[in-house]
Amino acid sequence: PNIHLYALSATLMAFDSAVGAANWHSVATLLDGIDSGAMSMEELRSVFVQTYAKFALCVFAHLTSCYLTEKTAGRFGNAVKSEVLRGVLRQDTSFFDVYPSGVIQERLNHDANDLCSKCFHLPMELLHMALIVVSNSLAVYAIKPELLWISIAPIPFLAIVQKIFI
């Protein structure tokens, strides 16, 4: 029942990740146009209003996505805790002599939070970071394709070195 909220959250995060970085790079290009004299101040005003509107939409999308992800994770965590607690409460009373209810509740809360983090927050963070990398890579490629290849060339070497040390 919460999948539609999570899908909307992923869509909003994808919008922010893809549009936000590209919009940020376009501001630098606009300022270069002002510096070179290719754009007048009147033209700049309308373009800046559009750019700031995009920034506002990106901030709204990011914060709304975080809220929806947290809401979905919270609902899922509560459902998991309720079902597990129902199962625990079906145990014999001698079970609670060995395992105190406070310890069970603390472990249940901790495990439910970990599960929600891995199922909802981690995929959203991976989506955000992957799209930021793609968006920034496209921006660097648009500037100069050779610059992109020069910047990603050391990555395999760094990955091998990290693998060795970790």
Side-chain angles (χ1 to χ4, degrees):
N2 296 319
I3 194 73
H4 65 282
L5 288 178
Y6 194 67
L8 177 62
S9 177
T11 304
L12 289 171
M13 186 61 76
F15 171 79
D16 169 47
S17 302
V19 174
N23 197 34
W24 182 257
H25 292 297
S26 70
V27 170
T29 305
L30 289 174
L31 294 176
D32 289 343
I34 291 294
D35 186 43
S36 68
M39 183 181 289
S40 69
M41 289 300 285
E42 290 77 29
E43 293 172 327
L44 179 69
R45 282 192 184 104
S46 65
V47 172
F48 264 149
V49 167
Q50 293 172 0
T51 302
Y52 288 134
K54 285 182 190 176
F55 276 133
L57 285 174
C58 287
V59 168
F60 173 77
H62 186 85
L63 293 177
T64 305
S65 174
C66 291
Y67 167 75
L68 292 175
T69 301
E70 193 63 40
K71 184 173 183 123
T72 304
R75 287 180 178 178
F76 178 77
N78 285 339
V80 167
K81 285 190 273 187
S82 294
E83 287 300 315
V84 172
L85 200 53
R86 278 192 192 112
V88 168
L89 292 176
R90 289 187 195 113
Q91 299 293 326
D92 278 337
T93 55
S94 61
F95 174 80
F96 295 102
D97 292 339
V98 177
Y99 301 102
S101 61
V103 172
I104 295 170
Q105 187 65 38
E106 179 64 30
R107 176 70 190 266
L108 180 59
N109 288 337
H110 183 267
D111 289 350
N113 286 339
D114 282 350
L115 182 64
C116 289
S117 176
K118 302 284 190 291
C119 289
F120 295 101
H121 296 107
L122 183 63
M124 196 62 64
E125 191 173 333
L126 287 174
L127 173 71
H128 179 60
M129 294 301 163
L131 288 177
I132 289 254
V133 167
V134 169
S135 182
N136 284 319
S137 297
L138 290 173
V140 171
Y141 186 82
I143 293 169
K144 191 170 186 179
E146 295 83 24
L147 184 61
L148 175 66
W149 302 120
I150 290 170
S151 64
I152 64 172
I155 291 177
F157 172 73
L158 292 173
I160 292 169
V161 169
Q162 281 185 335
K163 177 70 174 163
I164 291 170
F165 285 127
I166 292 175

